Amino acid sequence: MERQKETDAWHALEAEEVARRLGTGPQGLTEEEAARRLRRHGLNELPQAKPTSAWVVFLRQFASPLVYILLVALGITLLLGEFVDAGVIALAIFLDVVIGFFQERKAEASVRALMRLLTPKAHVVRDGRVREIESRFLVPGDRVLLESGARVPADLRLDSTKALMVDESLLTGESVPVHKRAGRMAENLPLADRVNMAYTGTIVTSGRGQGYVVKTGAATELGAIAETIRKEEKAETPLQQRMSRFSRVIAIGILLACALSFAIGIARGHSVAEMFVLAVALAVGAIPESLPVIFTVTMAVGVRRMARRNAIIRHLPAVETLGSTTVIGSDKTGTLTENRMTVTEVWAGGRHVPVPREGIVEADDAVRAALRAGALTNEAHYWMEGDRMESRGDPTEVALLVAADRIGLEHDRLRRDHVVIQEIPFEPALQYSASLRHGPEGPMLFVKGAPERVMAMCRSMLGEGGTVPLDEEAVREASARMASRGLRVLGLAHAHLPDGRDFEREGMPDDLVFLGLAGMVDPPREGVKEAIRGCQEAGIRVLMVTGDHAETALAIGRELGISGEGERAIAGRELATMDDEALREAVRTHSVFARVAPEQKLRIVHALKASGEVVAVTGDGVNDAPALRGADIGVAMGRSGTDVAREASDMVLADDNFVSIYAAVSEGRITFENLRNSAFFLLSTAAAEIVTLLVAIALGWPSPFVPAQLLWLNLVTNGVQDLALAFEPGEKGVLRRPPRPRDEGIFSAVLWERLVVTGLVMGGGALLLFYWELASGASIERARTVAMTGLVIYQAYHVGNCRSERLSVLAKSPFQNLFLFVSTIAALGIHVISTYLPPTQFVLRFVPIDDWQTWVRMLLVASSILVAIDLHKLVRRRGLSLREFYGLDR
């Protein structure tokens, strides 16, 4: 298959030269030539990446240091003939691998989603006749016809246009449809300014046009984005990086502990076979087998909580990533703003008058006259479907219709009362549109367009007391003032005309009455300003990265508090001249980036990540997809977003509201705290087991535990409570703390220190109980059962410590997390029952504990953990008053 020409300069050639190079013309290609080119270039489709094989995903689950150790332990127990213990270890490995397999099998479908954007049908000229064919059969050189409502089926160089306007927001991010024309353009223009090109996937909002296909399939701009997504590897999230480091640290610690125990045992005169069994017991006891389960469940709980707040998580680690986010790079159109032009201000009668966004208000005659002209020089339509507004036509004209209705003009009635005689649609060369209508006042001409162009047709203007001579300086001053606030400004005028005048043939009159100016903008979404302020208070920078014009972007940025008064926007052309070092400095010092191409948005993401930032990127268009995939977390819009953006993202906002990101950040931080607390609880037991076994070996005692007992402790009694910690409600002030550094691990230094304290206290208590039984003449089975039960009771106390990293165990009511309260009682009950059931007695080597004195002794010894950890928290509390520490400030 032949590769299509990689030139991006089709817009810089005359239409005749384009046709010559493509070997085509106004009559189009012949069917025979089209068939030859189809064989040469292939179908007008995007290639699909093959999904990862299930076997590859399955085998990938074994690539973990913790699994490696378990596999070695399994092999040793089998060689030593400990088949019961081997079966329990094999079950732990099986659960770990199966959970990981199903978690990773969530297929990424970004490129396949792009396929859905290709139009199934296209109107093409072949053999001099217009035909309708499937768009996948288009080839370079085909002549394609475009009309209102059509989706552009391939990249076209336009050679004929009539009032053609194309919505390119999903490629460029610009909220206003682009006026297309056929003339040659300068070569070094960004994609958004190539007005003689129409690109695959964009939508014709009005007018007609024709052009030659210059690129199809993967060679199109849309195909280039698909290729960028395919090449852009999804980086590990901060949580995945932390979990990898955490697993390595645990694995190294376990191996060192096993080697130390083996060496001590040999030095004490134990046999090699005996020490292998003890080393396996130590490895099995120390490995947190349920850590993958805890990870998945904690993330899943966070997913559920976020879903209630309109944030839909597609990949589990993304839950926590939001809590680590330091920078949010947001698209403007449709994310921070409504993606709907709105008239916010009218200058008429010499006054600036605000236009309400809701309700109907009274307006003076000057404002009514101006907005009447806007409604009657208009081909758009809008209607309500439930509480949502739907529209067809130019967004600017829709905004004028809505504004007219806001002051009670009822645009439908206006149109019925003023019948169209003639119309001139908007053309970039004209810079205005006009409509001649017959109404109650007789024939009237209504005009709207660029203020300077409309003003050139006027001799008078509507003043406060009626018609007055045109004050050009006042109009220019008002227009400049509105434009400085980021408004798009249109001039409005009318004139009474005698019956029968054909202004298309006779030319436009030069004695119109200038009625005023309408200023419109794509307004910010409700609540976004407050959400941005909340993000900033939480230590998160918010950047605006948009394809829209710099002036508009900067005005919105200032209104929302993203940029300051003295700050300027950096445009795409300036970005193109920056090397990586200059770009890293620019993203550090600037907050608004405008006229940004998709590849530049991705460069901004890479620059932020290279500076150590944890980056979230929001967007809704095709142009956002590469950056969504390249960011630490991509956030797409659920309602207005394209399939491409949603499939490239990690999180989808069901309500398209930036405000939901702020709520999701809170839930992300709570989720990480719960994960950290769960992991601490899990490793506390492992630390106690290591201390118990090492000290017992050093003292020459028999092993206090067998491997199956340790797995029972880790997976059953420990695991039940550990899962319940995932449901812990968040603490106050979670959004008043700065984001965690990217290089901070699952545990902070204070938690590692606390883990040592926990291991010494719990391990020491278990040894004390074990020695007491042996010294009293009890059997080794009873001594092991008492030591194991003592650790189970330790867990029941200690889970209260693990509910908060910072607060006392007394600060939280046990009934705040009812699931944890019930699961703690259940874990104790399950363990006690297991000491009496023959099957568990056989597998776990348990015996019943029938005397109450032993139970009292175990309860008293285990309570030491409450005192020890609360003292450590009290000493290590940072910035907390005693009232806050003990929860007395509620």
Side-chain angles (χ1 to χ4, degrees), residues 32-55:
E32 292 77 14
E33 177 61 22
R36 279 194 295 271
R37 296 189 183 193
L38 186 64
R39 289 191 295 272
R40 192 190 318 158
H41 298 295
L43 293 170
N44 180 29
E45 295 177 336
L46 299 178
Q48 296 191 44
K50 293 182 180 178
T52 306
S53 165
W55 281 107

Side-chain angles (χ1 to χ4, degrees), residues 65 102 121 134 154 190 237 240 298-299 308 330 372 393 427 449 622 634 746 854 873:
F102 284 108
K121 300 287 185 180
E134 292 185 30
T237 67
Q240 289 170 322
T298 306
M299 295 297 107
R308 291 199 201 109
S330 178
R372 183 180 72 156
E427 290 279 3
V622 174
I746 296 292
T854 303
K873 287 182 179 179

Side-chain angles (χ1 to χ4, degrees), residues 131-168:
R131 297 186 52 200
E132 184 179 65
I133 65 170
E134 292 185 30
S135 64
R136 64 196 183 108
F137 296 128
L138 287 174
V139 295
D142 264 328
R143 185 168 178 78
V144 173
L145 281 60
L146 300 176
E147 59 185 13
S148 181
R151 193 182 292 273
V152 179
D155 284 3
L156 309 178
R157 167 58 166 93
L158 300 169
D159 75 330
S160 172
T161 62
K162 183 173 183 181
L164 181 64
M165 300 181 69
V166 178
D167 179 358
E168 296 183 340

Side-chain angles (χ1 to χ4, degrees), residues 803-830:
R803 294 177 67 194
S804 173
E805 182 184 347
R806 303 160 70 243
L807 303 180
S808 166
V809 68
L810 302 174
K812 287 192 167 188
S813 165
F815 301 108
Q816 276 184 309
N817 187 346
L818 195 59
F819 181 27
L820 179 61
F821 181 75
V822 172
S823 67
T824 301
I825 296 173
L828 279 169
I830 289 169

